[in-house]
Amino acid sequence: MNIMHMIRGAAGLAVLLLLGCSASDSNNTVPVSTNTAPTVNASALVYRDATLAIDVDTDVVYAQGLSHSYWNAPNPVTMDLLLDVYEPMNDAMARPAMVFIHGGGFIGGDKGTEPAVEFARYFAERGFVALSINYRLLGNYGTLPQSVIDAVDGLALLSDAERDQAKAMYPAVRDAKAAIRWLAANAAQYNVDPNRISVIGGSAGSFISIALGATDFADYKDELSLADDPTLASTHLDDDVIVASVVDHWGGTASVDLLESVDGNTRWSQSDAPISIVHGTEDPTVSYQEAEALVDIYTSTGAYYELITLEGAGHGAWNVTYNGQPLETLGFDFVTRMLDIEVQ
């Protein structure tokens, strides 16, 4: 059981709120590729430059979740889970989709933060249907399986605050998976190709994104029954969908390793979604060692990855460029290559 990744990831996340963000413009390391990129059949078309007007639909309810006064305390309240849809104004069929997942250490953050809006608009103006989602945060105390509580409480190196932050990963990933299923269930409404749904995250949002690309259909869903959490019925349980690619900004492995700490079974496999790993070497919040751990995992399984090392960059380095390209463009190029999308 890869418990050290879980400990390192949860402990790193615990200081997200305390350290803030930093950025650097020094980034000269060449990306690393290994294994064979997957191929996707059928055609799709997007634009390299901002071409399309977009329509933004805010605060769309994609599911519901329970919020407790503390973990699994009685008399929870039901809360709506919200997302924003950025839809390109064209008549294209079989559009690709991009889902942005905000950071904030599982403590704060919002779908309307500047990076979320900028990335969503960037992709929508080029022909993607883009979503920016909210998910339950630590203070919402979403419903937990007892197995997760027991596993996290067994991590002796963590403080009470750090254990709470690690527990907050479960409802966060549960909600993000529900958002992906909502998109698949509503694919026809937005002319979305459900085989071309990708995710981009930052910090905690990347911990979630990595889980979306690596965990199984049942994970973060079937650990709870409808009796435990009746709001699961709102999460399109039958609309399982495979995330086609992942763009990770300064994330780590803890959201996947959490499940391994519960049942001893690894989720990492050759079938994991191809991933772009973007990380600064001077990140004081989520160590660059997390990027190296991901490289080791994807190399060992044979799943496809690319590594973009931002030399000298810290945490939340959204304004950094790499070989003259902003992070939005790097993500766009990776996703269109991985999903065989024609770019005009």
Side-chain angles (χ1 to χ4, degrees), residues 3-321:
I3 197 68
M4 288 309 297
H5 282 165
M6 178 60 202
I7 293 173
R8 183 180 64 247
L13 285 172
V15 295
L16 281 171
L17 191 64
L18 302 177
L19 292 176
C21 301
S22 60
S24 169
D25 290 322
S26 175
N27 40 73
N28 302 312
T29 302
V30 176
V32 175
S33 300
T34 190
N35 307 323
T36 302
T39 58
V40 179
N41 296 324
S43 60
L45 172 66
V46 295
Y47 302 92
R48 178 156 299 282
D49 297 321
T51 301
L52 303 169
I54 61 175
D55 179 69
V56 183
D57 190 7
T58 60
D59 293 337
V60 176
V61 177
Y62 69 84
Q64 293 179 318
L66 294 180
S67 175
H68 301 255
S69 60
Y70 193 63
W71 302 117
N72 293 358
N75 304 315
V77 298
T78 298
M79 59 183 289
D80 288 337
L81 304 174
L82 305 177
L83 57 78
D84 298 337
V85 181
Y86 296 72
E87 184 178 5
M89 292 294 94
N90 62 1
D91 296 324
M93 303 299 292
R95 297 160 166 165
M98 177 58 69
V99 179
F100 186 93
I101 308 177
H102 70 78
F106 300 99
I107 296 172
D110 185 78
K111 58 186 173 58
T113 56
E114 183 176 347
V117 172
E118 288 184 353
F119 270 79
R121 294 188 68 90
Y122 182 97
F123 278 87
E125 288 169 349
R126 288 158 176 79
F128 287 73
V129 173
L131 307 185
S132 179
I133 72 168
N134 276 351
Y135 50 89
R136 282 172 294 174
L137 301 171
L138 194 161
N140 299 127
Y141 295 112
T143 308
L144 294 179
Q146 188 61 45
S147 59
V148 170
I149 294 175
D150 293 343
V152 175
D153 286 346
L155 299 177
L157 296 181
L158 301 180
S159 68
D160 288 343
E162 290 167 338
R163 280 194 289 270
D164 277 346
Q165 199 167 26
K167 290 171 184 174
M169 285 192 293
Y170 183 90
V173 179
R174 178 270 207 191
D175 294 349
K177 280 201 161 191
I180 300 296
R181 294 196 299 271
W182 176 91
L183 180 56
N186 290 276
Q189 176 181 345
Y190 296 103
N191 292 342
V192 164
D193 180 352
N195 295 310
R196 286 191 169 95
I197 297 175
S198 299
V199 292
I200 284 182
S203 193
S206 278
F207 280 78
I208 295 170
S209 298
I210 291 164
L212 297 182
T215 57
D216 300 330
F217 288 144
D219 293 335
Y220 287 102
K221 184 182 75 170
D222 290 354
E223 297 90 355
L224 291 169
S225 69
L226 288 172
D228 298 322
D229 182 359
T231 65
L232 283 168
S234 71
T235 66
H236 299 91
L237 293 174
D238 296 329
D239 287 280
D240 279 323
V241 60
I242 295 174
V243 168
S245 66
V246 175
V247 180
D248 151 40
H249 298 103
W250 36 91
T253 69
S255 57
V256 181
D257 294 330
L258 174 63
L259 298 182
E260 186 174 345
S261 71
V262 169
D263 61 19
N265 298 320
T266 185
R267 269 61 175 184
W268 307 107
S269 73
Q270 188 175 13
S271 63
D272 292 345
I275 187 171
S276 172
I277 304 165
V278 183
H279 214 118
T281 57
E282 301 302 319
D283 191 332
T285 304
V286 180
S287 168
Y288 183 72
Q289 291 177 343
E290 287 290 342
E292 295 173 326
L294 283 166
V295 167
D296 290 344
I297 290 168
Y298 279 72
T299 299
S300 66
T301 63
Y304 186 81
Y305 75 88
E306 293 182 5
L307 173 65
I308 295 178
T309 297
L310 305 177
E311 290 290 345
H315 197 69
W318 293 113
N319 295 325
V320 166
T321 61

Side-chain angles (χ1 to χ4, degrees), residues 319-337:
N319 295 325
V320 166
T321 61
Y322 180 88
N323 290 342
Q325 299 297 316
L327 300 188
E328 295 95 328
T329 301
L330 296 175
F332 177 89
D333 289 345
F334 178 79
V335 169
T336 53
R337 281 188 290 108

